[in-house]
Amino acid sequence: MSLFVVAKSQSGQAPRVSWFRWVTPANAACVVFFPFKERAGVDIQRPRRGRLLQSAEHLTGMADEALFEFLHMEMVSHVYKEQQSSKGEMDNKDRAICISVLESMGFRVGQGLIERLTKDSPSFKDELDIMKFVCKDFWTKVFRRQVDNLRTNHQGTYVLQDNKFVLLTQLSSGKQYLDQAPKYLAFSCGVVRGALCNLGLESVVTAEVSIMPSCKFQVVIQKL
């Protein structure tokens, strides 16, 4: 990915950053503009290296998160529209098919991500060690924050609590639209299941939402 910062100046004044543009190499035509100055309040009147690097890192993370959320919403919309176009009115079976498609997509993504993140990591000691890695390092890389709480019965069942799940924050804050939550969590369930699969753990991953954007992911390890 490439970050382009555009500075504009007025007569007799130092340039102020007013927009930044984020371009993904996978689709160079997909350009997203954000109001840099208004949102970040960055003034480059005094070009200090530390401040500029800190601002660039902050904006890089902000742009990554915005693009991820946008891509995910478009992906969910596309899958449901494709199913609806072939059937017209959707029933529970059609919705289940859409959930399965999104989960499978997430599974493949999770497999690839965990392979990259663990290629230089030491071997994990046990199942719990793997889950701690997923809750801390993996979750931070994918969802920009650590899991808030991890609970287990020590019999292969784990509950991962995220109190501000990034893919639900734009939907609602409360109990509104709870019926829409499952389709926005299917991909993430697949990501977790794919990551665990590549680490040698077959699992069933489900998600539960009682009030958004808080979410609980339940992971049940399948004993071979």
Side-chain angles (χ1 to χ4, degrees):
M1 295 183 178
S2 304
L3 178 67
F4 299 90
V5 180
V6 181
K8 292 182 179 180
S9 63
Q10 296 178 356
S11 177
Q13 297 181 2
R16 293 177 64 90
V17 177
S18 58
W19 295 89
F20 74 86
R21 183 174 66 177
W22 187 263
V23 183
T24 58
N27 185 2
C30 180
V31 181
V32 183
F33 291 91
F34 294 89
F36 186 108
K37 180 178 65 177
E38 290 75 11
R39 292 186 63 176
V42 176
D43 191 339
I44 59 172
Q45 205 163 7
R46 295 180 180 179
R48 296 178 182 176
R49 179 177 175 82
R51 283 180 58 194
L52 291 177
L53 285 176
Q54 187 178 15
S55 297
E57 290 173 359
H58 169 72
L59 289 165
T60 297
M62 187 173 68
D64 277 346
E65 186 174 325
L67 282 175
F68 177 45
E69 292 175 14
F70 175 75
L71 177 61
H72 178 261
M73 293 188 73
E74 286 299 304
M75 182 172 60
V76 172
S77 176
H78 173 75
V79 169
Y80 272 74
K81 283 180 179 178
E82 283 289 300
Q83 184 67 19
Q84 189 173 19
S85 66
S86 61
K87 294 292 294 291
E89 190 69 25
M90 293 181 64
D91 54 23
N92 290 336
K93 183 178 179 181
D94 296 318
R95 296 186 185 92
I97 291 173
C98 293
I99 295 291
S100 178
V101 170
L102 290 166
E103 201 272 348
S104 297
M105 294 168 68
F107 180 83
R108 294 192 294 272
V109 171
Q111 284 185 311
L113 286 174
I114 202 69
E115 187 173 329
R116 293 179 59 186
L117 292 176
T118 58
K119 63 179 180 180
D120 297 321
S121 300
S123 300
F124 297 104
K125 294 183 296 184
D126 51 27
E127 183 180 289
L128 182 58
D129 198 29
I130 291 175
M131 293 305 303
K132 287 180 178 178
F133 177 84
V134 169
C135 291
K136 184 179 179 181
D137 300 78
F138 184 74
W139 215 265
T140 300
K141 288 292 184 181
V142 180
F143 303 118
R144 298 294 175 186
R145 65 195 308 272
Q146 295 182 23
V147 166
D148 291 293
N149 187 35
L150 170 64
R151 291 184 290 118
T152 178
N153 63 357
H154 299 286
Q155 295 180 3
T157 299
Y158 299 85
V159 177
L160 289 63
Q161 174 81 40
D162 190 327
N163 294 329
K164 195 177 180 182
F165 189 57
V166 64
L167 297 179
L168 293 180
T169 54
Q170 302 301 318
L171 287 180
S172 173
S173 180
K175 295 187 177 182
Q176 191 178 18
Y177 305 123
L178 279 179
D179 59 327
Q180 299 295 313
K183 66 181 181 182
Y184 291 103
L185 294 170
F187 178 82
S188 301
C189 288
V191 168
V192 176
R193 187 171 71 88
L196 291 174
C197 180
N198 254 21
L199 294 176
L201 297 179
E202 294 294 333
S203 63
V204 174
V205 182
T206 55
E208 176 186 342
V209 179
S210 56
I211 183 169
M212 290 199 273
S214 179
C215 180
K216 290 181 181 179
F217 290 86
Q218 179 171 282
V219 179
V220 180
I221 305 299
Q222 306 296 290
K223 304 296 183 181
L224 300 178

